[in-house]
């Protein structure tokens, strides 16, 4: 594993993103919705930098690759707050191909929020397959598989305080 961003560097990126969000919304109350599970660390850090009145909710998005169509996304909104007529910011860990974010956005638009923007910690610009760009981006990264700060490889490594790129040896030694 190779460290890509230290925890201090991540903190700096999240603080910059929060400044941008604070500038955009001013005093306007904001509802932030984190996509579980990858966004939990970002969500916890980001919300503490925000200055406007904030409501915090989550939703769960997961793709079932085997028993249904490849990559079909299941969005579970049971834990989510009511976002209708609320300015809403969707928060996720990473924008890779972008399919996840675009699908979740479609679902959220049904509730008719006053506005709907998105914030992601990371973006792999080279992998983009959809016509959408997140409004707030922490870091642009190359097309490498990264873990830590909420991001997982087979549900592991989410707890790392830094962000690391996996190397072939990490995959070869995999026992799960
Ligand atoms: P999408 O390709 O933008 O739809 O991203 C789908 C999901 O794949 C993200 O929400 C992450 O959970 C996961 N993902 C994509 N790239 C990485 C990575 O480098 N590390 C860990 N998870 C990733
Ligand atoms: Mg995820």
């Amino acid at each position: 594993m190779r460290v890509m961003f230290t925890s201090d560097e991540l903190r700096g990126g999240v603080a910059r993103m929060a400044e941008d969000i604070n500038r955009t919304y001013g005093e306007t109350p904001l509802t932030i919705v984190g996509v579980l599970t990858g966004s939990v660390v970002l969500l916890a850090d980001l919300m503490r930098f925000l200055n406007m009145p904030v409501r915090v909710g989550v939703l769960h998005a997961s793709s079932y690759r085997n028993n249904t169509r490849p990559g079909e996304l299941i969005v579970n909104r049971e834990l989510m707050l009511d976002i209708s007529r609320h300015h809403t910011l969707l928060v996720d860990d990473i924008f890779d191909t972008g399919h996840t974010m675009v699908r979740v956005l479609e679902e959220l638009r049904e509730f008719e929020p006053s506005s709907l923007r998105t914030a992601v910690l990371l973006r792999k610009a080279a992998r983009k397959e959809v016509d959408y760009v997140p409004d707030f981006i922490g870091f642009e990264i190359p097309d490498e598989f990264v873990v830590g700060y909420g991001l997982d490889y087979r549900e592991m490594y989410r707890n790392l305080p830094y962000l690391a790129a996996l190397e072939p040896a990490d995959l070869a030694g995999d026992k799960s």
Side-chain angles (χ1 to χ4, degrees):
M1 229 182 259
R2 175 173 40 81
V3 175
M4 187 179 279
F5 299 119
T6 64
S7 70
D8 280 353
E9 288 168 335
L10 290 170
R11 186 179 175 75
V14 174
R16 275 197 304 279
M17 186 157 66
E19 266 172 42
D20 214 4
I21 295 169
N22 283 327
R23 210 176 307 117
T24 299
Y25 291 94
E27 298 295 306
T28 309
L30 183 62
T31 298
I32 57 182
V33 177
V35 180
L36 294 178
T37 306
S39 77
V40 288
V41 182
L42 172 63
L43 191 64
D45 282 350
L46 181 68
M47 70 167 107
R48 285 176 284 177
F49 285 117
L50 298 179
N51 299 328
M52 70 291 283
V54 164
R55 300 156 80 223
V56 182
V58 291
L59 56 78
H60 186 252
S62 49
S63 54
Y64 292 94
R65 297 245 154 84
N66 298 320
N67 46 10
T68 61
R69 279 182 285 130
E72 188 185 345
L73 192 77
I74 311 292
V75 181
N76 181 337
R77 299 176 306 216
E78 267 167 36
L79 300 168
M80 210 179 83
L81 296 173
D82 176 21
I83 60 165
S84 91
R85 297 193 304 279
H86 288 272
H87 292 282
T88 302
L89 179 67
L90 181 67
V91 175
D92 205 357
D93 52 358
I94 187 165
F95 186 96
D96 182 14
T97 64
H99 290 297
T100 302
M101 179 150 279
V102 163
R103 269 294 320 284
V104 173
L105 282 173
E106 270 171 28
E107 302 247 351
L108 295 191
R109 279 195 198 101
E110 286 173 27
F111 296 91
E112 303 188 351
S114 302
S115 67
L116 185 55
R117 290 190 177 92
T118 55
V120 293
L121 179 70
L122 307 167
R123 180 168 80 142
K124 292 183 194 171
R127 296 259 300 162
K128 184 171 179 280
E129 289 179 5
V130 296
D131 184 21
Y132 180 82
V133 180
D135 298 281
F136 306 99
I137 298 170
F139 300 91
E140 303 274 357
I141 63 166
D143 184 14
E144 291 187 82
F145 198 85
V146 290
V147 296
Y149 200 79
L151 291 104
D152 74 301
Y153 171 62
R154 299 189 179 183
E155 297 303 329
M156 295 296 293
Y157 308 124
R158 292 193 197 275
N159 58 308
L160 300 179
Y162 49 85
L163 190 84
L166 289 188
E167 295 171 299
D170 300 314
L171 309 179
D174 179 67
K175 293 194 179 69
S176 60

